[in-house]
Amino acid sequence: MPKMKTNSSAKKRFKLTGTGKIARKNAYKSHILTKMSTKRKRNLTHTSLVSDADMGNVKRMLCIGK
């Protein structure tokens, strides 16, 4: 049986936390930032967790679990 392949784009975008949750970066932080307030840009800097609705798809792409 061949090995499962990890999705290359997913392994660059997601990290596994120590407690088993999946961390992600926030969107809207790459370009055209002049019109955005400093507070909003600062709050987008921190990482977020993947929602429960998307957790199954992300785990499947990362070959975590079953």
Side-chain angles (χ1 to χ4, degrees), residues 3-4 8-9 13 20 28 49-50 55-56 62-63 65-66:
K3 291 182 180 179
M4 293 277 293
S8 293
S9 62
R13 286 169 171 79
Y28 309 110
L49 295 175
V50 172
M55 193 69 78
L62 294 173
C63 299
K66 300 173 191 168

Side-chain angles (χ1 to χ4, degrees), residues 41-54:
K41 285 187 280 192
R42 185 174 59 246
N43 289 338
L44 288 172
T45 300
H46 311 296
T47 57
S48 302
L49 295 175
V50 172
S51 68
D52 292 333
D54 299 324

Side-chain angles (χ1 to χ4, degrees), residues 11-45:
K11 68 184 174 189
K12 295 168 192 170
R13 286 169 171 79
F14 301 108
K15 275 201 167 40
L16 201 62
T17 64
T19 56
K21 295 174 184 167
I22 300 173
R24 64 173 177 84
K25 284 191 175 180
N26 286 309
Y28 309 110
K29 193 75 198 306
S30 58
H31 63 103
I32 316 176
L33 299 172
T34 51
K35 61 179 82 170
M36 204 183 287
S37 70
T38 309
K39 181 180 179 179
R40 188 168 162 207
K41 285 187 280 192
R42 185 174 59 246
N43 289 338
L44 288 172
T45 300

